[in-house]
Amino acid sequence: MDRRPTQAAHDPGRAPTPPLLPGGYDPADYAGTVARSAETAGVSPVLLMTVLHNEAYKPHHPLLERLWQWWKPGASFGVANMHRAAFESVRRAYGLSGRWEDLRDDPAFAVRVAALHLRDLDRALPSAHARRYTRDELLALGYNAGERNMRAFARGVPPGPMARSYLRRYREYRGRAVEALAEGGRPRDPDALAG
């Protein structure tokens, strides 16, 4: 049974709605949206796709996110799991007309805003940084822990347990993100791989 989202993924301005069943969500479904958003923002599509993989730990269907917000009003939204403060910063900087709540209902918008946020983090990151991290790793840490913490990690301050866990998952998911982008979000055909 095909568990991929059914919303018209061919529309370049739209992205599929995440499925209601948590096991059916795959960030690779957004590869085209990620590639376009990353190119427009001037950030690495692999970075953006890896962030989506890192943020896939909870269901992202709009109904489930509404329930999550009812239980936890300050929760993050959308397939990129963005908090309100980060969204508002991006909204003001780029004059976006969308609202924070729109992140849960419009995956393409959520991916676009995440790309713009990564762009802002990249601009805030000093060119010289601790060699133990790549620039993309520091940007991912900034996405998770905030700009101030990212800059501290760049100076060599060791990340705490939650940031270390995020970085470990980032490193694990990077290969999966590269693969998803190479496949353009299309599911693999096991028969084609065997032959």
Side-chain angles (χ1 to χ4, degrees), residues 42-117:
V43 298
S44 162
V46 174
L47 167 64
L48 183 55
M49 179 59 83
T50 308
V51 166
L52 288 189
H53 275 86
N54 253 17
E55 300 296 343
Y57 64 88
K58 72 176 192 184
H60 290 299
H61 187 277
L63 173 63
L64 297 174
E65 288 201 330
R66 280 180 174 76
L67 292 172
W68 184 256
Q69 185 189 25
W70 176 78
W71 179 66
K72 188 176 178 186
S76 53
F77 277 147
V79 295
N81 229 15
M82 184 171 279
H83 284 280
R84 177 174 249 150
F87 171 79
E88 290 299 335
S89 175
V90 172
R91 184 187 63 75
R92 284 189 305 273
Y94 295 95
L96 302 177
S97 60
R99 301 169 306 132
W100 175 60
E101 293 83 359
D102 295 337
L103 297 176
R104 69 180 173 218
D105 299 316
D106 187 347
F109 182 61
V111 170
R112 177 178 168 228
V113 173
L116 293 171
H117 183 48

Side-chain angles (χ1 to χ4, degrees), residues 44 46-48 50-51 54 134 136-137 140 165-175:
S44 162
V46 174
L47 167 64
L48 183 55
T50 308
V51 166
N54 253 17
T134 68
D136 279 359
E137 287 173 346
S165 174
Y166 194 87
L167 180 60
R168 179 186 48 75
R169 288 191 325 272
Y170 176 87
R171 290 171 174 165
E172 288 172 7
Y173 289 137
R174 192 171 186 288

Side-chain angles (χ1 to χ4, degrees), residues 11-53:
D11 182 350
R14 300 282 304 159
T17 297
L20 187 59
L21 297 175
Y25 174 68
D26 185 356
D29 292 336
Y30 303 93
T33 303
V34 165
R36 285 187 302 275
S37 296
E39 181 179 1
T40 301
V43 298
S44 162
V46 174
L47 167 64
L48 183 55
M49 179 59 83
T50 308
V51 166
L52 288 189
H53 275 86

